[in-house]
Amino acid sequence: MTQNIRIHLADDHQVLIDGLTNLLQTVDNFEVVGKSLDGTTVYNDVIQNNADILVLDISMPKKDGIEVLKEFSEKEFPCKVIILSSYDDLKIIKEVMKLGAKGYLTKKCAGENIIEAIEAVYQGQEYFCDAVREKIFNSFAHNNPKLNKPLYVENPILSAREIEIITLISLEYSGKEISEQLFISMNTVETHRKNIMKKLQTKNTIGLVKYALKNNLINP
């Protein structure tokens, strides 16, 4: 029997909370166990409800999402946190990921991505919606002349995230550097690298570089 994923929602808009609750209740193993309209009691509520995942808004009264994350980071994290925000500002994204958030969605993409995000983060992965991921990578790529654009093209073999990883590997970035640039853990980088090599049926980095050059991901 599949274990239920216990979810707490924190947002100052009741309409949004109600909409997310209705959506999440369509998934058999999702259970919304709590809701908060401000940030003051989120930490205690999450512990009391024994939540696995907290979906957290940045802009809330009394104590905002960043302050909640700081409280979490000062204590022991009681659950995994996905940020759900109206903002896609890179400084905010970088700050919340450094504070320990495991995912970031904009409210525009919440409806189509929230279920996938919860499942991924629950399984120990980091998750960004496409708009946020593209913003992160493009900010890095802006001053790198070796990168070709547009990066986000349809690829029958690799996912968008895998294209990012193979591109940075081909530019001789280390796992630690890739982790820092894309705000993901080194374990996630290594998992992606192994998946890429398996998909491309190559045993070393040379094969990845050849693929990147052949598919115009980097300039020679």
Side-chain angles (χ1 to χ4, degrees):
M1 183 176 178
T2 303
Q3 183 177 351
N4 279 359
I5 301 176
R6 298 171 61 83
I7 304 159
H8 188 96
L9 304 175
D11 193 285
D12 61 334
H13 293 93
Q14 186 66 54
V15 172
L16 179 63
I17 285 183
D18 291 343
L20 286 177
T21 300
N22 291 336
L23 174 61
L24 297 178
Q25 286 176 339
T26 65
V27 183
D28 289 340
N29 66 320
F30 281 11
E31 182 182 0
V32 178
V33 295
K35 306 168 187 178
S36 302
L37 291 173
D38 65 63
T40 56
T41 63
V42 170
Y43 186 85
N44 290 333
D45 289 344
V46 164
I47 293 177
Q48 182 177 348
N49 295 327
N50 195 27
D52 301 303
I53 300 289
L54 168 64
V55 179
L56 176 67
D57 187 16
I58 291 290
S59 298
M60 289 190 299
K62 299 181 181 178
K63 180 182 284 188
D64 64 28
I66 291 177
E67 290 176 303
V68 171
L69 275 176
K70 287 179 179 178
E71 181 181 8
F72 276 33
S73 63
E74 289 168 359
K75 304 174 182 178
E76 184 176 352
F77 260 76
C79 65
K80 297 173 181 176
V81 181
I82 298 171
I83 297 298
L84 179 61
S85 177
S86 300
Y87 306 108
D88 62 356
D89 184 275
L90 195 60
K91 290 182 180 179
I92 295 176
I93 297 168
K94 186 175 182 178
E95 181 174 8
V96 298
M97 299 310 291
K98 282 188 174 181
L99 286 171
K102 298 300 182 184
Y104 198 108
L105 305 175
T106 64
K107 290 185 177 180
K108 288 182 180 179
C109 70
E112 58 185 298
N113 292 117
I114 189 68
I115 293 173
E116 184 179 4
I118 289 172
E119 290 174 338
V121 169
Y122 181 74
Q123 293 169 9
Q125 304 170 31
E126 289 91 357
Y127 188 94
F128 303 92
C129 64
D130 288 346
V132 170
R133 191 175 64 243
E134 183 172 359
K135 195 176 188 74
I136 291 170
F137 195 89
N138 284 344
S139 70
F140 158 73
H142 181 71
N143 295 317
N144 195 324
K146 290 188 177 181
L147 287 173
N148 274 337
K149 291 186 179 181
L151 180 64
Y152 287 84
V153 295
E154 290 295 327
N155 189 293
I157 300 175
L158 303 178
S159 68
R161 174 58 93 193
E162 288 169 340
I163 292 174
E164 294 171 352
I165 299 293
I166 192 175
T167 301
L168 293 180
I169 290 174
S170 300
L171 293 173
E172 300 183 4
Y173 280 74
S174 68
K176 184 175 185 298
E177 290 170 330
I178 295 172
S179 169
E180 292 172 350
Q181 291 294 338
L182 301 183
F183 308 146
I184 58 178
S185 70
M186 289 185 65
N187 285 338
T188 300
V189 174
E190 180 61 18
T191 297
H192 281 306
R193 187 187 68 82
K194 289 179 179 178
N195 289 340
I196 292 167
M197 295 182 76
K198 184 177 181 180
K199 285 183 178 182
L200 299 182
Q201 297 181 334
T202 183
K203 296 181 179 180
N204 53 46
T205 303
I206 295 174
L208 302 184
V209 174
K210 287 181 178 178
Y211 181 90
L213 288 168
K214 182 178 178 181
N215 290 273
N216 298 314
L217 298 181
I218 60 174
N219 291 316

